[in-house]
Amino acid sequence: MGSDEIASNDSKNLPMSTRVEENPPNSTTSLLSSSIKYPKPSTSSSVLFSLILTTCVALFAAIAFALLFYSSSKKPMSNLIQENAMLLKKLKHPVVIIISSDGFRFGYQFKTSTPNIDRLIVNGTEAEHGLIPVFPTLTFPNHYSIVTGLYPAYHGIINNYFTDFDTGEKFNMGSHEPKWWLGEPLWETVVNHGLKASTYFWPGSEVHKGDWTCPKFYCQQYNESVPFEERVDTVLSYFDLESDDDIPSFMTLYFEDPDHQGHQVGPDDPQITEAVANIDGLMGRLIDGLEKRGIFDDVNIIMLGDHGMVGTCDKKLIFLDDLAPWIEVPKDWIQSYSPLLAIRPTSNHSPKEVVAKMNEALSSGKVKNGEYLKVYLKEELPSRLHYSDSDRISPIIGLIGEGFKVEQKKSTNQECGGAHGYDNAYFSMRTIFIAHGPQITRGKKIPSFENVQIYNLVTSILGISGAPNNGSMSFADNIVLHRH
């Protein structure tokens, strides 16, 4: 799984309270030499006595330091959790809730009054210019990257729909077989440490992996028709459980909006404004519920989205049949059209030759909108996309211009809505990141970052070790507060 690309967490930074200084001051020596009075010996005896005393003191100090180091380095994970819990007022252990508002493009929060989101921002940490999704900027690849810290090529969910070319089996958004879902999602990491986790809808959460079995009480089976308010209330009900040990340390909460509206009407319609106001109201419902229980200041809330949204219209179309004078690209080669063009030619066609002929056509000036599509062998894609090291990825990938769509042939369909999935370098694909809680730095603005960093952020807050991933612990250390 591309181990050279994955940063191991074996050497993670522990909370500051568990670190042992490399060269601690030898306070034991000064204490002994100043507090004990000895008879004055003769000169030769004095030298010998001093050597013996110094040796004994040094040996004593070394033993004391070794015991200190051993006890610290062997400190069980439960102690780390307890130390993080010292920051809390009522809850006995740290809690993280990740809330995803699907398709919440960065900037939507400025469309209308969002007092509840603003409250989290003012007293928490915000990605000042938005959260960067992974490529492709689609729902399933990004949600699973958020909870595994892995790029899609490594966690296996390379698209919302795709084919395993080795077996011919097809993946769709209802596929729950563990073989599709690689990596270790946060709910699995959490239960591996003997803690509780709950999921109220999240791609991959219904998959049985490791010690995670999607328990009925803590793991909700996806049902789009469940009212958003009911989802919030269910999460709040976990805090009413009699035993603190039964309160999940990690929870997810998912809303389909404003992605639903964005696809229908694009990012600039009044329906988006209404959806954003509704999401803010749901955040207010969550905050109010936590405050009534007296635990709002004890809960770490991470609010984010999976991707942004851009408007599309029929005039922004590229037709593969227009390439016929140079090369025919038949429909049965196409794994996906838009906004990620994925092509798998039959075995009697060289992918390299197909790419060369397609790019020749697209750059000829004779293909309508041809300049808005660039085709690559997957291994020649820009390395920043991290989209090559998987056999599930088609050998030919086309990067489509912002807001454009690829279709096989001209049609009379009239459409003008919204889409996502494009290059994650487009600002329109960015979403939001806001973190608030007792272990989150207050009033901080941070630069934009890719969502693979969030896995380590959560494990750092909870004081547990995570699985190898593509993120870095230095990112988490920049946000998370630990008790010194």
Side-chain angles (χ1 to χ4, degrees):
M1 190 174 60
S3 58
D4 56 328
E5 290 266 358
I6 299 178
S8 172
N9 283 346
D10 293 343
S11 58
K12 284 185 174 181
N13 293 329
L14 294 177
M16 292 294 293
S17 56
T18 68
R19 293 180 184 167
V20 178
E21 296 181 16
E22 292 182 4
N23 296 295
N26 195 344
S27 58
T28 309
T29 304
S30 60
L31 175 63
L32 286 174
S33 61
S34 63
S35 61
I36 301 179
K37 304 298 182 181
Y38 295 96
K40 187 176 182 180
S42 63
T43 304
S44 58
S45 299
S46 175
V47 173
L48 178 60
F49 183 81
S50 297
L51 289 173
I52 294 173
L53 177 62
T54 302
T55 301
C56 290
V57 169
L59 181 60
F60 177 79
I63 293 172
F65 175 69
L67 289 173
L68 174 65
F69 181 81
Y70 179 82
S71 63
S72 175
S73 62
K74 297 296 183 180
K75 189 173 292 185
M77 194 58 63
S78 60
N79 285 10
L80 298 181
I81 297 169
Q82 289 171 4
E83 286 170 356
N84 277 2
M86 292 174 69
L87 291 165
L88 309 179
K89 295 178 180 179
K90 290 190 176 181
L91 293 179
K92 297 298 188 291
H93 60 80
V95 172
V96 177
I97 306 176
I98 290 188
I99 300 140
S100 170
S101 180
D102 199 321
F104 198 118
R105 173 174 166 170
F106 179 77
Y108 278 0
Q109 67 270 36
F110 306 125
K111 284 181 171 289
T112 186
S113 174
T114 54
N116 300 296
I117 294 174
D118 292 346
R119 180 178 176 184
L120 298 178
I121 292 172
V122 169
N123 296 304
T125 293
E126 178 194 24
E128 190 170 15
H129 296 110
L131 177 66
I132 302 172
V134 295
F135 179 82
T137 52
L138 296 168
T139 296
F140 268 52
N142 272 275
H143 274 97
Y144 205 53
S145 284
I146 289 168
V147 295
T148 61
L150 297 171
Y151 292 110
Y154 305 118
H155 66 51
I157 309 303
I158 54 101
N159 204 322
N160 289 340
Y161 304 90
F162 59 90
T163 300
D164 183 328
F165 300 118
D166 292 332
T167 65
E169 295 176 283
K170 296 185 181 298
F171 173 89
N172 60 55
M173 292 188 284
S175 300
H176 297 146
E177 298 83 5
K179 64 184 178 183
W180 297 111
W181 306 82
L182 311 179
E184 183 179 291
L186 279 165
W187 44 82
E188 182 183 353
T189 300
V190 168
V191 298
N192 285 347
H193 285 84
L195 306 174
K196 295 285 195 305
S198 70
T199 57
Y200 210 120
F201 305 161
W202 201 280
S205 63
E206 296 173 56
V207 178
H208 294 189
K209 280 176 56 63
D211 290 338
W212 176 256
T213 59
C214 189
K216 185 176 181 180
F217 182 70
Y218 290 112
C219 175
Q220 306 299 321
Q221 304 289 315
Y222 183 67
N223 181 354
E224 185 179 4
S225 66
V226 177
F228 292 170
E229 292 79 7
E230 181 178 329
R231 304 180 194 188
V232 173
D233 292 345
T234 299
V235 168
L236 287 171
S237 72
Y238 291 131
F239 293 100
D240 298 329
L241 297 173
E242 288 187 13
S243 172
D244 284 330
D245 293 336
D246 290 331
I247 299 174
S249 297
F250 173 72
M251 310 182 193
T252 72
L253 180 58
Y254 170 78
F255 305 121
E256 287 85 357
D257 292 354
D259 183 72
H260 174 73
Q261 295 83 358
H263 280 293
Q264 292 184 331
V265 296
D268 301 316
D269 192 272
Q271 289 186 42
I272 297 295
T273 304
E274 182 180 347
V276 169
N278 186 45
I279 292 294
D280 185 75
L282 293 165
M283 295 305 297
R285 188 183 187 95
L286 176 67
I287 292 170
D288 290 346
L290 294 173
E291 286 187 321
K292 288 176 181 177
R293 291 163 173 81
I295 55 172
F296 175 60
D297 292 332
D298 275 9
V299 177
N300 297 281
I301 297 172
I302 297 175
M303 182 183 181
L304 46 72
D306 53 345
H307 54 71
M309 187 70 65
V310 67
T312 60
C313 288
D314 281 339
K315 68 178 182 180
K316 293 184 176 181
L317 291 175
I318 303 161
F319 302 105
L320 293 180
D321 283 357
D322 288 350
L323 278 62
W326 292 266
I327 182 174
E328 289 197 14
V329 184
K331 183 177 181 180
D332 59 4
W333 287 9
I334 309 301
Q335 305 302 312
S336 68
Y337 283 96
S338 289
L340 169 70
L341 177 62
I343 301 174
R344 185 175 179 83
T346 52
S347 58
N348 59 331
H349 289 82
S350 162
K352 186 175 183 179
E353 291 181 7
V354 171
V355 166
K357 290 180 179 179
M358 287 185 69
N359 283 330
E360 181 183 356
L362 293 166
S363 61
S364 67
K366 298 180 181 179
V367 174
K368 184 180 179 181
N369 296 323
E371 66 270 30
Y372 295 105
L373 172 63
K374 179 69 183 295
V375 183
Y376 297 84
L377 292 171
K378 69 176 181 180
E379 59 269 22
E380 295 178 356
L381 281 166
S383 59
R384 61 181 174 78
L385 297 176
H386 304 280
Y387 198 69
S388 61
D389 292 342
S390 173
D391 292 338
R392 296 176 180 181
I393 299 173
S394 297
I396 299 173
I397 298 294
L399 296 185
I400 305 171
E402 184 177 24
F404 283 80
K405 296 179 70 176
V406 171
E407 295 183 359
Q408 187 70 38
K409 58 185 178 181
K410 294 180 181 179
S411 67
T412 58
N413 294 336
Q414 296 296 314
E415 177 191 343
C416 196
H420 54 88
Y422 300 95
D423 190 334
N424 63 354
Y426 291 128
F427 202 88
S428 60
M429 294 298 101
R430 291 193 186 185
T431 182
I432 57 169
F433 172 86
I434 303 157
H436 177 284
Q439 289 159 271
I440 303 297
T441 305
R442 292 171 62 90
K444 186 168 188 174
K445 303 291 186 184
I446 59 174
S448 296
F449 61 93
E450 288 187 314
N451 61 24
V452 293
Q453 302 289 357
I454 292 168
Y455 177 92
N456 288 338
L457 173 61
V458 173
T459 59
S460 182
I461 292 172
L462 297 180
I464 60 178
S465 57
N469 62 82
N470 295 124
S472 67
M473 283 307 299
S474 59
F475 170 81
D477 288 342
N478 191 39
I479 297 176
V480 179
L481 298 173
H482 291 291
R483 191 178 184 90
H484 289 255

